[in-house]
Amino acid sequence: MTQEVGFEKDHTLSLGDFLEEKISFSGFGSTVNSIRFIPIIVSPVFEKFYPNEIIYHRSRHQLGLYWQMDYERVMKSTAAECKAYLAEFFIEVLEIAKATKRIRDFDYDGFIAAVKAVLPEWVASEPEI
């Protein structure tokens, strides 16, 4: 995405860094202490090589979310629209994970509510320059 859309990696406020500053995993159980969220943005020609996956790495206490975003929507978006879409998409994938990948002693509902509470601030923030 960085090359095709033209976003400069150094000039965007990372969603992961933002959430790490705002939310602590300690309040949502002891089985997940990190989420690896990889939104996949590839041309539909290559879709078959990048399946959607939700993986819980028990030994690392890490939830891995690898999910395809709508390529056309991303390509037609401004940077601000893409940022809003990414926030919306993250919540959507968390909801899918909650419905399909039960993790004992992880409060999905509480975590999703905490993320929803802080995401508007990230969406409204200007990219760092």
Side-chain angles (χ1 to χ4, degrees):
M1 180 178 96
T2 304
Q3 291 176 352
E4 289 187 45
V5 177
F7 295 132
E8 291 293 328
K9 191 173 185 177
D10 295 340
H11 299 304
T12 57
L13 178 59
S14 162
L15 175 59
D17 290 343
F18 175 82
L19 291 175
E20 215 171 276
E21 288 176 13
K22 301 291 182 178
I23 300 173
S24 169
F25 275 98
S26 63
F28 306 104
S30 61
T31 54
V32 175
N33 59 24
S34 70
I35 293 179
R36 183 180 180 104
F37 175 55
I38 308 295
I40 302 166
I41 306 163
V42 294
S43 171
V45 173
F46 301 109
E47 246 180 77
K48 63 184 177 184
F49 299 113
Y50 299 97
N52 293 332
E53 293 183 283
I54 299 171
I55 302 169
Y56 175 56
H57 301 279
R58 187 175 287 124
S59 64
R60 291 183 277 181
H61 301 284
Q62 182 183 70
L63 178 61
L65 307 172
Y66 310 89
W67 217 262
Q68 288 211 26
M69 294 182 81
D70 181 329
Y71 177 82
E72 293 301 322
R73 182 173 174 184
V74 171
M75 293 301 113
K76 292 177 181 178
S77 297
T78 64
E81 290 168 341
C82 191
K83 193 174 184 183
Y85 174 39
L86 181 62
E88 169 190 315
F89 185 73
F90 182 53
I91 294 296
E92 181 182 321
V93 176
L94 283 172
E95 292 286 355
I96 293 168
K98 175 184 150 190
T100 60
K101 184 62 82 177
R102 180 167 153 58
I103 301 173
R104 190 171 43 100
D105 193 36
F106 179 59
D107 179 8
Y108 270 113
D109 291 325
F111 183 74
I112 291 169
V115 170
K116 283 181 178 179
V118 299
L119 276 182
E121 180 184 344
W122 179 74
V123 171
S125 68
E126 291 293 321
E128 294 177 346
I129 297 178

